[in-house]
Amino acid sequence: LWRLGYCARLLKTNHFRTAASNTSFPAVWMLLAQHSGRIPGLFVVVKKSTFFTMPETVEDKPNPELYLPHPGVRGMTILNREAFKRTVVVPALKVRKEIVHSVLKSLKQSVLQRPGLKRVVEDPEDEESRFVILDPHKVPEFSLGESEQQVLRQLDVHPEVSRYQLELTYENFKSEEILRAVLPEGQEVTSGFSRVGHIAHLNLRDHQLPYRHLIGQVIMDKNPGVTCVVNKTNIIDSTYRNFEMEVLAGENNLVTKVKENNIAYELDFSKVYWNPRLSTEHGRIVALLRAGDVLFDVFAGIGPFAIPAAKRQCRVFANDLNPDSYSWLLHNCRLNKVHTKVQAFNMDGRDFLRGPVREELSRELLKEGQKAAFHIVMNLPALAVEFLDVFRHLLVGEPCSPAGLPTVHCYGFSKHSDPARDIQERAEAALGTSLAGRCSTFLVRNVAPNKEMLCLSFQIPADVLYKRPCP
């Protein structure tokens, strides 16, 4: 930017008297580029000087040999690490070993920075010298610029750039580079995954399935601590929120430990639902609670809302229909020493709302001077909105004060162009009343293209929650 400003001033000073009719706009930029010194190729006039463009700089043009494994690995389905070896020619400087550090410091913008590759290697013909490997992106023509050469002369280093044969192995390539080299050209490469303890969870596409075991092995090799890689083989079951999976690589051990918001959980990933992408949302809801509040967790899973709420000195009623989730919920309550603050249930969500929730609300809302807030979390995005009709006349009697009405946090998916309006309208249909001005919608995350996960929060209207007794 400094050079660009200098060039603009230079242009203004030296060419102010140039007639506008004799100066084309692209030519002005070419002049600017000529005065820009060490910014080669920044501005380039294209075609008939009718327009100009800003193409990729040299740094953005990767050397295909340096960042691609051997082409012979294309189509490989069983991982052969030896097949990835190849030798490439890269620029290098021969320097005395006692000044290597000074050279690295002076040429830090031109030295190879790729993780896993050494920047300094021994000279097999001279024990007193070392080769400093340069980045072929920054030194594409095997020659340094005038400023770098001047620096080297001051260090008494010959500025001639050598051609060094660098051996690359499987360990030097990133997982995405390996998979892109193996899968058929033009096909999408999936290198992302969810990490659940020692387990890496993939969602592979159909065209990647023939390579699934190789993909699993690469993911395990390139991610320290991952000892098991699994692929989801069907959609999440709406009843228990778990799915079948295939172990692609590593040990067949799906009992794991995770830590979320400084709380530890243990679980069997093959039998219960756990999504590490929801940690922020769990923390957001728990932050709304105060000591003494009451939380009803209708679809509690293994306790990511219930346990941190109990840690905040709330009274918690947690329920899940899945027997395995219920067992791990009890286990994690004991693990985190909150088992005395959490009442756990293994019931259908409707039965839980009509049973323990109704009983507790009926008892607590009748107390004089009741100050505790009541929160009902319904985190089953595929179905939770359909459960809201349970709140219609759930309680009998005179309504409590508006401040004491329970707050519901209901999650849902939407593919609508206006997802907030969509989930609100669906909730209103289930409740039989309008929530306009009485609710808020929070976008939790994008689940898939054109599919959003949202949280609708509202206080249950008194005319919905209460059924007045006949006179």
Side-chain angles (χ1 to χ4, degrees), residues 262-312:
N262 296 317
I263 295 179
Y265 302 89
E266 296 180 354
L267 61 127
D268 185 337
F269 190 56
S270 66
K271 296 180 179 178
V272 305
Y273 178 80
W274 180 265
N275 191 336
R277 295 183 178 92
L278 295 177
S279 62
T280 302
E281 179 61 13
H282 295 153
R284 183 182 75 89
I285 295 296
V286 172
L288 303 175
L289 308 177
R290 299 171 301 175
D293 286 352
V294 180
L295 174 69
F296 301 102
D297 195 349
V298 186
F299 312 105
I302 66 167
F305 287 112
I307 292 173
K311 288 273 190 182
R312 292 175 73 93

Side-chain angles (χ1 to χ4, degrees), residues 318-338:
N319 171 74
D320 202 280
L321 178 62
N322 182 352
D324 292 296
S325 294
Y326 171 72
S327 297
W328 285 105
L329 171 64
L330 295 175
H331 173 82
N332 287 309
C333 287
R334 290 191 295 270
L335 179 67
N336 289 279
K337 298 179 173 59
V338 295

Side-chain angles (χ1 to χ4, degrees), residues 146-165:
E146 182 58 37
S147 59
E148 286 91 347
Q149 293 187 31
Q150 185 175 353
V151 169
L152 292 176
R153 293 190 191 100
Q154 293 175 354
L155 295 172
D156 195 23
V157 176
H158 195 279
E160 180 181 359
V161 177
S162 304
R163 295 176 179 267
Y164 183 83
Q165 291 192 338

Side-chain angles (χ1 to χ4, degrees), residues 204-415:
L204 297 181
R205 306 291 179 86
D206 290 342
H207 70 271
Q208 298 164 337
L209 293 179
Y211 308 90
R212 62 188 184 279
H213 294 291
L214 180 143
I215 294 173
Q217 190 63 55
V218 171
I219 294 296
M220 193 166 70
D221 288 346
K222 297 298 180 178
N223 294 275
V226 172
T227 59
C228 177
V229 182
V230 300
N231 178 48
K232 184 173 69 174
T233 58
N234 68 345
I235 61 174
I236 294 177
D237 176 71
S238 59
T239 304
Y240 288 164
R241 289 198 297 174
N242 55 17
F243 46 79
E244 294 182 5
M245 60 185 69
E246 177 186 13
V247 176
L248 304 181
E251 59 183 352
N252 189 6
N253 175 20
L254 299 177
V255 175
T256 187
K257 299 179 181 180
V258 295
K259 197 167 186 178
E260 179 183 275
N261 300 328
N262 296 317
I263 295 179
Y265 302 89
E266 296 180 354
L267 61 127
D268 185 337
F269 190 56
S270 66
K271 296 180 179 178
V272 305
Y273 178 80
W274 180 265
N275 191 336
R277 295 183 178 92
L278 295 177
S279 62
T280 302
E281 179 61 13
H282 295 153
R284 183 182 75 89
I285 295 296
V286 172
L288 303 175
L289 308 177
R290 299 171 301 175
D293 286 352
V294 180
L295 174 69
F296 301 102
D297 195 349
V298 186
F299 312 105
I302 66 167
F305 287 112
I307 292 173
K311 288 273 190 182
R312 292 175 73 93
Q313 305 304 314
C314 297
R315 288 197 302 123
V316 179
F317 296 76
N319 171 74
D320 202 280
L321 178 62
N322 182 352
D324 292 296
S325 294
Y326 171 72
S327 297
W328 285 105
L329 171 64
L330 295 175
H331 173 82
N332 287 309
C333 287
R334 290 191 295 270
L335 179 67
N336 289 279
K337 298 179 173 59
V338 295
H339 52 284
T340 59
K341 299 183 179 71
V342 178
Q343 295 187 49
F345 303 85
N346 180 207
M347 307 170 67
D348 176 78
R350 289 180 179 275
D351 296 335
F352 175 65
L353 289 168
R354 288 173 177 155
V357 174
R358 184 202 309 229
E359 292 172 8
E360 186 66 18
L361 288 176
S362 298
R363 182 168 51 250
E364 291 295 321
L365 293 179
L366 290 176
K367 289 182 179 179
E368 292 290 336
Q370 171 63 37
K371 295 182 179 180
F374 299 90
H375 292 263
I376 303 174
V377 174
M378 304 175 69
N379 185 18
L380 184 62
L383 296 172
V385 175
E386 300 176 14
F387 284 72
L388 292 178
D389 65 307
V390 175
F391 294 117
R392 290 192 185 189
H393 297 168
L394 183 66
L395 304 181
V396 176
E398 290 298 324
C400 65
S401 66
L405 293 170
T407 299
V408 174
H409 307 282
C410 180
Y411 292 83
F413 294 132
S414 177
K415 296 183 178 180

Side-chain angles (χ1 to χ4, degrees), residues 171-183:
E171 284 71 26
N172 300 130
F173 297 109
K174 302 173 185 177
S175 57
E176 187 175 343
E177 293 166 345
I178 293 172
L179 299 181
R180 184 173 288 114
V182 169
L183 268 63

